[in-house]
Amino acid sequence: MSRENGAGVGEGGGGAPEPEQLALIRESVRKAKVPRAKPRTWRGAALAKELPVARVLVDKGVLHLDRYFDYAVPEELDEAAQPGVRVRVRFGAGSRNVREGRREGGGLIDGFIVERRAETEYTGPLAALAQVVSPEPVLGAELLDLARAVADRYAGSLADVLQLAVPPRHARAESRAAVPPPAPPAPPGAGSWRRYAHGEEFLSALASGASPRAVWTALPGPQWAEEIARAVRATLASGRGALVVVPTGRPAARVDAALTELLGEGQHALLTADAGQERRYREWLSVRRGEVRAVVGTRAAMFAPVRDLGLVVVWDDGDANHSDDRAPFPHVREVLELRATRDRCGFLLGGWSCTVEAAQLVESGWAAPLVADREQVRGAAPLVRTVGDGDLARDEAARAARLPTLAWRAVREGLRHGPVLVQVPRRGYVPRLACERCREPARCRGCAGPLEAQDSGAALRCGWCGVEEGAWHCGECGGFRLRAQVVGARRTAEELGRAFPAVPVRTSGREQVLDTVPGTPALVVSTPGAEPVADGGYAAALLLDGWAMLGRPDLRAGEDALRRWIGAAALVRSQNAGGTVVVVAEATLRPVQALVRWDPVGHAVRELGERAELGFPPVSRMAAVSGRPEALAEFLAAAELPPDAVVLGPVPVREAAPGPSRRPGAAPPGEQWERVLIRVPPGSGAALAAALKVAQAARMARGAKGTREGPAEAVRIRVDPLDIG
DNA sequence: AGCACGCCGACT
DNA sequence: GTCGGCGTGCTC
């Protein structure tokens, strides 16, 4: 007797079970090869009269198989069991146990109904839906399609993507009464969009229902948020919805305020991670239900189910916060690109700086540049000066001043007119060295800046001026041995406070981020990304540790440094208003020159050309695969990569280290992992992702043989790894 | 991942 | 005969 035979104990669909049971057994005996038209169930529950089969996406990440499972729809759940609703189903071998009394052995797990159908292709008896969690159809067809596209693009599972895309349920938030959708507003005036060559054109295209795509290089200053709000309002005026994604809560609050100003209260939703579960779900639901047509939020908002999407906006796409940190690590820019293409909606990628990826969107013709002419740029940007090795050699006074003269003067001059911003890399970013004996910090003989070890064993360099120090000894106690210390904003603040007594010093960093500072003279020491906005703009900014920012062993080091510098410099008053920026870095370096000329696009275009030549992303597509050496080797042996794929490595991966320099797929503590990079030429990205996904799925399904360690261990796959050595 | 099934050797 | 070892494979 087959299991299937013994299983046929009941039948749904109404009517007396007896003759149908016989038919069922007959069918089983014939070893039925033909898919059954009618679903059968374990229990004799009555089924829905129409479309008695629910195709369910089982929300179980470990399955790593993007498959649907068919369940029977009991009559009493017929009405609630609509496509998109959350359900609970029995899943697992236990539910198939034929022995009496243990038929329901499998565990209850969550899932979504993706479709109602008349028949099933499954040749066994169907289990019935256990429960419809709520009648709210949270997973619409469009969101499902998008999630699937994202899963494919990133070689991840659909269930993983849905975990990012659909927020956890909160019952109280659902019970709120429906609110009628707002009427479309009138299109806004162009406002400060007039500063850009095609700004007005872009807005009127959106307002007329068209879907323009642009890479927008925003002029420095605070107007960007209002400009985004105007683009949103123009889109709403066309009767469509709009979605804005920004890196963190602070810019989200800025756009939120600008939208409230331009649209009034209650016309848009704010979706950020720091809101509580209930509030987050409530806002998300109001978007899904069409009660608000505009959304601003951080990265999880990229999936927000906005109705009739007319425009997607991403601000500052170079910020690492746009890359989700949960598998399969989708990036906001890429996801919104997918949405713009699939939904044929407008696309606006904006920032003060310009990523290589953004430059590529323009170069490929997918998006148009939206830039201001040089005249406008010169009028809005501060004056940028550099302090490098050459300057320092001639700088006698620097020794006494503890800072290069130019920097010192710029700070002192700036403090006469307002607040001065000092940007220092994040704590842990730059290890500071100190005398092992007396703990006196190791300082540069030229400018008294902190000495740093480039790499273990290599020469020491000054973190301020970049000059090498060949023969250090402690000036206090004469010691020759160094120990690593960590320098942060606080320590820098102390040092600068001593250099400029009688001036208030404030710090903004990871632990405590200041949002704004008054326009009165003060030193504001901040880590990149945490810079407060100064009322009326900063009078000056000092960008320290340029060498450390540029010297990171990362493909994006130059682009990243430029983006951080521009991010700080954009908060400084224009050159006409006396705004000055001093960057302590070698003036001949490309990112430094780009900052001086305020030409982020030129920098990105040149980088893009170089990446194309070297076969680096984003011109080619890369994926990082990491895991224990045997697991990785097995994976690579089994994977059928596209013929044009090139495997680089494997190389050992460092263990997960604290700080921003964590590597993709860092090994868990105590384990030695390896990583390969797999590169494919343009056009083969989808094939690579598909191959990786298939190989991973096979691995998960099969289980690794030959290893003592037991079942197959997943390798970590990351398409578009963030930092490539 | 669970969990059941099943093919094998040792036991009442 | 029957109990239970873990090696495979499925989950609607």
Side-chain angles (χ1 to χ4, degrees), chain A residues 143 146 164-167 242-247 252 269-273 280 283-284 287 294-306 309 311-313 321-322 324 326 332 335-336 339:
Chain A
L143 184 51
L146 174 65
L164 308 177
V166 182
L243 168 62
V244 181
V245 185
V246 298
L270 175 64
L271 300 179
T272 54
R280 218 175 131 203
E283 298 269 301
W284 189 88
V287 174
V295 175
V296 57
T298 45
R299 64 176 179 249
M302 65 183 154
F303 293 106
V306 177
L309 195 57
L311 175 69
V312 290
V313 182
N321 284 301
H322 278 310
D324 206 294
R326 286 180 290 167
V332 170
V335 171
L336 294 187
R339 290 190 85 162

Side-chain angles (χ1 to χ4, degrees), chain A residues 453-460:
Chain A
Q454 210 173 155
D455 244 357
S456 51
L460 300 172

